[in-house]
């Protein structure tokens, strides 16, 4: 890997991460957005997280796989339950990783 | 004079203790995930410097994992940057949501605060600010403790990466999906969010299977969020 190219990539990543974090706080504190935009933006976190998550769970190798060999999918079910009932970020991540480790160890 | 110094020291200690207490759940979440990132970045072939630097200057968990995956698969710098932009675009909403509370802050103060705005710090600050808890020093402390945990986790992961030959037995490769599951569940406010989540997820998968490359995330998100607006319209 060309580490210099990665360094440039990192600087680019910083810019495109920082600008969306900064611009609204800097510009919006004095004005109101149209309600439809506010509403649309309120669905973005749900949509973007699902768009990233679901393919990695049901098609981790690039094709649909819901058999028991796809532990990503099956572990997701109890992990979802833990997130829903405990509302605990750390607990959810720990249970997900722990279950994947346990399944790989015992099966 | 002495009493003034000791009382201001006590006040500082109280702010520090309060910040540590509020940052603790973030720290507990960031340490293992940062650790997983550090291991995976080294395994993917990033140098130690670049691995730490990403946690210092980008500081965005999911984007860092995705960038590492893309770099390992030989993706171009431009596609990594565009994907990062798409993945982190959600912070636009978080920054917008906090902006009403930040009216009295100077531009420099906003610039420092925004740099450390993450999903988790957003969750903490939106609760604090709405309770009228607007201490700037406490806000900065919470953010800095959180990022210190992220960078600390990264460094521990780098040190461990030579000892860990395979991340799979530890389930470290599941840190990102598990983190997304938690953050997604925290976003679900009503039935319309469930519908948007399911539809966007299925659409995104269909796009991947159809050969969309990394564009599945932005295309599915644009359609999914628009669907959300449509649902909320038909309901009212």
């Amino acid at each position: 890997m060309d580490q210099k190219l990665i360094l440039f990539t990192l600087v680019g990543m910083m810019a495109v991460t920082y600008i969306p974090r900064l611009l609204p706080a800097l510009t919006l504190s004095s004005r109101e957005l149209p309600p439809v935009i506010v509403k649309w933006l309120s669905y973005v976190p749900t949509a973007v997280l699902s768009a990233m998550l679901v393919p990695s769970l049901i098609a981790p190798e690039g094709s649909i796989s819901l058999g028991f060999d796809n532990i990503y999918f099956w572990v997701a079910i109890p992990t979802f339950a833990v997130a829903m009932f405990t509302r605990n970020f750390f607990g959810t991540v720990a249970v997900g990783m722990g279950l994947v480790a346990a399944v790989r160890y015992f099966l | 004079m002495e009493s003034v110094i000791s009382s201001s020291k006590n006040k500082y200690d109280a702010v520090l203790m309060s910040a540590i207490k509020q940052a603790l759940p973030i720290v507990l979440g960031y340490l293992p995930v940062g650790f997983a990132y550090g291991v995976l970045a080294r395994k993917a072939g990033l140098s130690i410097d670049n691995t730490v630097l990403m946690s210092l200057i980008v500081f965005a968990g999911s984007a860092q994992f995705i960038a590492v995956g893309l770099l390992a698969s030989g993706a171009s710098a431009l596609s990594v940057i565009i994907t990062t932009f798409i993945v982190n675009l959600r912070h636009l909403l978080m920054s917008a949501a906090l902006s009403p509370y930040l009216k009295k802050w100077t531009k420099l103060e906003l610039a420092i605060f925004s740099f450390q705005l993450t999903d988790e710090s957003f969750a903490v600050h939106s609760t604090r600010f709405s309770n009228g808890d607007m201490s700037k020093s406490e806000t900065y402390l919470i953010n800095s403790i959180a990022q210190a945990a992220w960078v600390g986790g990264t460094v521990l992961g780098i040190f461990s990466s030579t000892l860990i030959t395979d991340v799979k037995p530890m389930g470290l490769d599941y840190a990102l999906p598990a983190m997304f599951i938690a953050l997604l569940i925290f976003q679900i406010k009503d039935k319309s969010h469930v519908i948007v989540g399911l539809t966007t997820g299925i659409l995104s998968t269909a796009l991947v299977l159809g050969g969309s490359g990394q564009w599945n995330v932005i295309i599915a998100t644009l359609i999914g969020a628009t669907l959300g607006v449509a649902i909320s319209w038909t309901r009212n």
Side-chain angles (χ1 to χ4, degrees):
Chain A
M1 267 191 186
D2 181 354
Q3 298 300 332
K4 207 163 223 173
L5 184 65
I6 292 175
L7 181 64
F8 285 121
T9 310
L10 291 187
V11 174
M13 286 174 70
M14 176 176 76
V16 299
T17 302
Y18 188 33
I19 290 166
R21 283 174 173 172
L22 174 65
L23 269 188
L26 211 53
T27 59
L28 295 183
S29 43
S30 53
R31 66 157 84 178
E32 297 278 317
L33 281 171
V36 66
I37 299 294
V38 174
K39 192 88 207 166
W40 191 83
L41 282 171
S42 76
Y43 285 103
V44 168
T46 304
V48 77
L49 287 165
S50 305
M52 294 187 294
L53 175 69
V54 176
S56 74
L57 296 183
I58 65 177
E61 311 287 340
S63 60
I64 299 267
S65 157
L66 299 179
F68 282 110
D69 56 330
N70 181 6
I71 50 176
Y72 273 39
F73 173 72
W74 290 100
V75 167
I77 296 167
T79 308
F80 263 111
V82 170
M84 234 179 294
F85 293 115
T86 68
R87 301 251 145 201
N88 183 313
F89 180 76
F90 172 66
T92 305
V93 174
V95 166
M97 288 167 56
L99 282 175
V100 166
V103 169
R104 282 179 181 150
Y105 184 79
F106 291 111
L107 300 181
Chain B
M1 189 64 195
E2 206 171 276
S3 70
V4 171
I5 291 170
S6 81
S7 84
S8 76
K9 191 182 180 300
N10 285 342
K11 199 179 159 204
Y12 180 77
D13 285 348
V15 169
L16 182 64
M17 280 315 293
S18 171
I20 290 172
K21 214 175 120 191
Q22 294 182 79
L24 194 63
I26 307 182
V27 170
L28 291 176
Y30 277 4
L31 275 175
V33 182
F35 179 89
Y37 158 74
V39 173
L40 292 172
R42 290 295 288 145
K43 295 276 172 216
L46 268 78
S47 69
I48 290 175
D49 291 355
N50 281 338
T51 302
V52 177
L53 195 66
M54 203 192 310
S55 288
L56 280 171
I57 68 172
V58 181
F59 187 30
S62 37
Q64 289 184 221
F65 276 92
I66 292 166
V68 163
L70 285 174
L71 288 169
S73 69
S76 72
L78 188 65
S79 69
V80 174
I81 292 166
I82 291 172
T83 307
T84 303
F85 178 67
I86 296 164
V87 169
N88 288 335
L89 210 51
R90 66 185 190 281
H91 294 131
L92 204 69
L93 169 74
M94 297 174 189
S95 179
L98 293 179
S99 64
Y101 299 110
L102 305 170
K103 280 180 179 160
K104 288 179 183 164
W105 291 42
T106 67
K107 287 198 165 90
L108 178 66
E109 286 167 346
L110 288 174
I112 297 167
F113 171 75
S114 307
F115 191 78
Q116 293 172 313
L117 178 62
T118 62
D119 300 329
E120 293 76 19
S121 69
F122 168 76
V124 169
H125 295 313
S126 56
T127 312
R128 286 180 59 232
F129 291 169
S130 65
N131 291 337
D133 187 2
M134 289 293 306
S135 157
K136 279 176 202 165
S137 48
E138 198 171 304
T139 304
Y140 289 138
L141 271 171
I142 290 171
N143 285 352
S144 299
I145 293 165
Q147 187 165 12
W150 181 245
V151 176
T154 302
V155 171
L156 289 175
I158 291 170
F159 280 128
S160 313
S161 65
T162 50
L163 304 171
I164 299 168
T165 47
D166 186 3
V167 296
K168 285 193 159 188
M170 299 178 70
L172 283 177
D173 55 320
Y174 208 65
L176 181 65
M179 190 170 103
F180 283 168
I181 289 171
L183 293 173
L184 178 60
I185 287 297
F186 298 164
Q187 287 295 329
I188 305 293
K189 310 257 156 43
D190 58 42
K191 219 166 151 188
S192 70
H193 285 89
V194 178
I195 299 169
V196 168
L198 285 172
T199 313
T200 313
I202 292 165
L203 186 62
S204 171
T205 310
L207 287 164
V208 171
L209 298 177
S212 67
Q214 288 296 320
W215 287 98
N216 64 305
V217 174
I218 190 145
I219 297 169
T221 300
L222 292 175
I223 297 171
T226 308
L227 174 73
V229 174
I231 295 170
S232 65
W233 268 346
T234 55
R235 280 189 164 182
N236 296 326

